[in-house]
Amino acid sequence: DAGITQSPRHKVTETGTPVTLRCHQTENHRYMYWYRQDPGHGLRLIHYSYGVKDTDKGEVSDGYSVSRSKTEDFLLTLESATSSQTSVYFCAISANRVVNYGYTFGSGTRLTVV
Amino acid sequence: ILNVEQSPQSLHVQEGDSTNFTCSFPSSNFYALHWYRWETAKSPEALFVMTLNGDEKKKGRISATLNTKEGYSYLYIKGSQPEDSATYLCALFRGGGSQGNLIFGKGTKLSVKP
């Protein structure tokens, strides 16, 4: 998707290992989000950022941490991966005044924890 | 817990049929409602952002209405085509000011048979 890229696209990791997913944007948007998508649950918010070094928790934040040291990058870290964190992870961005603009989503990262 | 409910969960129609689905949400402290279209193996794409009671939005054969007092939104597709096959998500924006984020429903999966 134009302006937002996620890496890696696919990853298999072992239980107990730390994993970092990267979201990179070239739109200079203030807001960035991490969601996970699981069957039967839809998209659930993990963490979000409303500016550099400004982050907050979403509804499923346990076991995850984030960092945003510059506008373009938002990193999601699984501190010690568990099988329950096997999922597809989507990053999203939006411009100022979130109420008036839709989100732009990345292509997703499929993470498998074995 | 903020619940955004979508119905039906899935829908199968023939090419040329018109169809509609429902998104229900808590009516208190309303800010905005988003609709997204999500094709298989792709990322969600924003269709509409609706903020005012009575809002009606249209894009081609797809339109949406909003009732914030009773807490529902309808998405209509006129003359469905196979390329309309996708999952349609609604999402409620919560929080005001510079923060806030979207809470997604689980979606309505539409399949259009030629």
Side-chain angles (χ1 to χ4, degrees):
Chain A
D1 290 307
I4 177 171
T5 55
Q6 291 184 231
S7 59
R9 291 294 308 276
H10 303 273
K11 185 171 182 66
V12 180
T13 191
E14 293 185 348
T15 299
T17 60
V19 177
T20 295
L21 309 183
R22 182 184 185 227
C23 179
H24 178 77
Q25 59 139 333
T26 57
E27 303 294 324
N28 200 37
H29 284 182
R30 178 179 177 184
Y31 301 90
M32 300 184 77
Y33 307 83
W34 278 108
Y35 284 87
R36 60 178 288 175
Q37 184 235 340
D38 304 289
H41 288 281
L43 288 166
R44 291 183 292 172
L45 182 66
I46 305 171
H47 283 278
Y48 67 102
S49 171
Y50 49 96
V52 173
K53 297 186 180 179
D54 291 324
T55 64
D56 205 349
K57 295 179 179 181
E59 57 185 312
V60 291
S61 59
D62 287 348
Y64 301 94
S65 62
V66 290
S67 66
R68 192 169 179 200
S69 59
K70 46 187 178 178
T71 300
E72 56 265 36
D73 288 325
F74 191 33
L75 304 180
L76 176 71
T77 297
L78 288 65
E79 294 143 9
S80 177
T82 67
S83 58
S84 65
Q85 294 175 311
T86 292
S87 187
V88 181
Y89 292 85
F90 285 94
C91 176
I93 61 174
S94 69
N96 292 334
R97 298 298 296 159
V98 178
V99 171
N100 298 317
Y101 294 91
Y103 289 6
T104 299
F105 283 85
S107 299
T109 294
R110 182 174 295 275
L111 176 69
T112 302
V113 183
V114 298
Chain B
I1 296 177
L2 191 63
N3 281 329
V4 177
E5 303 288 341
Q6 290 189 247
S7 62
Q9 188 173 3
S10 63
L11 196 55
H12 298 264
V13 302
Q14 290 293 133
E15 182 175 356
D17 288 349
S18 293
T19 187
N20 65 85
F21 356 109
T22 305
C23 174
S24 302
F25 51 86
S27 57
S28 59
N29 299 316
F30 177 85
Y31 287 99
L33 188 85
H34 293 214
W35 280 99
Y36 290 81
R37 181 172 179 273
W38 194 358
E39 291 182 74
T40 302
K42 294 188 177 180
S43 307
E45 293 182 349
L47 284 171
F48 306 116
V49 176
M50 309 177 78
T51 57
L52 298 176
N53 184 46
D55 251 357
E56 291 189 25
K57 301 269 185 175
K58 187 175 182 180
K59 184 181 290 188
R61 292 179 291 99
I62 304 176
S63 60
T65 61
L66 177 67
N67 184 322
T68 61
K69 294 185 178 181
E70 297 183 34
Y72 64 85
S73 176
Y74 293 139
L75 187 79
Y76 300 91
I77 301 179
K78 183 178 179 181
S80 302
Q81 300 297 309
E83 57 264 32
D84 295 329
S85 296
T87 296
Y88 292 83
L89 301 174
C90 73
L92 183 70
F93 180 80
R94 67 171 178 182
S98 62
Q99 299 182 39
N101 51 77
L102 289 179
I103 302 298
F104 284 84
K106 295 179 181 179
T108 293
K109 185 173 183 179
L110 175 67
S111 299
V112 182
K113 289 187 176 180

